[in-house]
Amino acid sequence: MTQQTAQPLLQVRDLRTHFPIRKGFFKSTVGYVKAVDGVSFSLNSGETLGLVGESGCGKTTVGRTLLRLLDSSGGTVISGSVTFAGRDVFALRRTELRQARRDMQIIFQDPVGSLNPRMTVGSIIGEPILVHRLADKSNVRQKVAQLLDRVGLPTASANRYPHEFSGGQRQRIGIARALALQPKFIVCDEPVSALDVSIQAQVLNLLQDLQKDLHLSYLFIAHNLAVVEHFSDRVAVMYLGKIVELAASEDLYRAPKHPYTQALLSAVPKPSPRKSDQRIMLAGEVPSPSNPPSGCPFHPRCPLYALKKDPRCTTQMPPLEPKASNPNHVAACWLT
C-alpha cells in the first residue's frame, strides 16, 4: 500500500453539484437535483482512491466536477473547493486551466462514445500533444508510436479508425490519450465496466503497471466492489450524493462500519460461500436526489434504524467521523 504524505496531491472540500429542474413555458427553476451534496476527501501522490456506490449516487459527477468538465452554465450550482498541487482549481482562469489540464486527465467509461469516429487513432492521441505544444508535427508520430506500444497496441494502429478495434483495444486507446500529456492524476470513470471479464483483468493490470512506472494517482470510480478491493489503496462509499464511509481498502472490506457498506458487501459474490453468509436486503427504493430525506439520507432503508428508531437519524445529518480505533476509518452513522 502507498505511504501517505503530509501534503495531499488533491484535496476536495464540501463539493456540491446541483442541477436545476425546470418546468413550465418559461422553463423556471422549481428545484435542484443534488447529484453531489457535500463531498470531501483527499488523494496522495501515487495513491488510488476507489469511489463506489449504486448507479446514480453521484460518482461520475464528482470526477467531472473536480476536473471542471462541468461548470455553472445553464443554472447548474457548483460550490466547495478543489485544490490540486496547491492550486485552487475553481479559481483558475482559462489559460491557467488549460495548463493545469496537462496534469489532470480522465479515462471515460464508454470507449466507443469517447473516441471521435472521424479521426484516426494517431490523430486522437496526437492532438493533445500538438495543442499543448509538447512536440512539433515531425515528432508527434514518434510519440504516438511510443504511447501505443506502452498500452500494448501495435504502432500500425495509428493509421486505423476506432471502429476497427475491439472494446478492450478502444479502451487502451483512451488510456494512451490520457497519458499523452504526462499527467500526475487520472480520473478512471468506470474504465472496465463495459468490457468482458477477461479483458477487464488485462486493462486493470495495465493501469497498475502504468501507475508504478509513472507514479500516477487515480480516482477509480466503479460499482464492481471486487475490482475496487484489489485495485485501490483506500475506498470511499457514496450514497445519494454523499460519502458515508471512507477507509483503507483492507479495513473497509474486513470490517465495514456503515449499514449501507455492509449491505453492498453482502451482495458481492463469493467463490466459496458459506451458509452463515447472509445477503442484507434493503427495503424500498433509492430516494430521489431532488428530494432527499431529512437527516441521514439512508435512514428510510437502514436496517439499524428499523430496529432502534433513533430520532437523530431523521433530523440530523451524521458527521463523517472515526468509528473504530483507527482514526482513518470514518463513517457517517449515528447508530454504528
Side-chain angles (χ1 to χ4, degrees), residues 12-197:
V12 178
R13 292 290 176 265
D14 199 28
L15 184 66
R16 298 174 190 272
T17 305
H18 296 177
F19 299 108
I21 302 173
R22 302 185 187 278
K23 289 185 178 181
F25 181 78
F26 295 102
K27 299 297 181 183
S28 301
T29 300
V30 297
Y32 289 90
V33 175
K34 299 176 181 179
V36 179
D37 197 27
V39 165
S40 300
F41 61 87
S42 62
L43 180 69
N44 298 306
S45 180
E47 183 186 30
T48 299
L49 174 65
L51 191 59
V52 302
E54 292 173 289
S55 297
C57 70
K59 307 185 298 295
T60 294
T61 305
V62 168
R64 297 195 177 202
T65 302
L66 63 88
L67 292 179
R68 284 186 60 177
L69 297 180
L70 296 174
D71 56 32
S72 298
S73 61
T76 300
V77 177
I78 296 176
S79 62
S81 68
V82 176
T83 305
F84 179 80
R87 305 179 70 186
D88 184 352
V89 174
F90 288 166
L92 296 178
R93 299 178 182 273
R94 183 175 180 178
T95 304
E96 296 172 326
L97 180 61
R98 180 176 176 179
Q99 181 69 21
R101 290 200 188 282
R102 290 180 53 178
D103 294 326
M104 302 185 298
Q105 289 292 305
I106 184 170
I107 300 170
F108 293 98
Q109 175 181 0
D110 183 7
V112 178
S114 62
L115 301 177
N116 190 331
R118 294 182 176 86
M119 296 175 65
T120 64
V121 169
S123 298
I124 290 172
I125 300 174
E127 183 180 43
I129 299 175
L130 288 173
V131 169
H132 288 267
R133 300 178 181 177
L134 298 183
D136 54 33
K137 289 185 177 180
S138 60
N139 294 326
V140 167
R141 184 179 294 273
Q142 180 182 357
K143 285 190 171 293
V144 169
Q146 292 172 350
L147 287 165
L148 287 172
D149 181 66
R150 181 174 281 276
V151 299
L153 291 174
T155 56
S157 302
N159 299 318
R160 297 163 61 188
Y161 289 86
H163 72 270
E164 300 179 65
F165 296 88
S166 67
Q169 290 172 326
R170 281 192 286 256
Q171 195 60 289
R172 289 174 185 267
I173 295 169
I175 294 171
R177 179 178 57 184
L179 294 175
L181 300 180
Q182 302 171 1
K184 298 177 182 176
F185 166 61
I186 298 178
V187 174
C188 302
D189 184 12
E190 303 199 34
V192 297
S193 63
L195 307 179
D196 294 336
V197 175

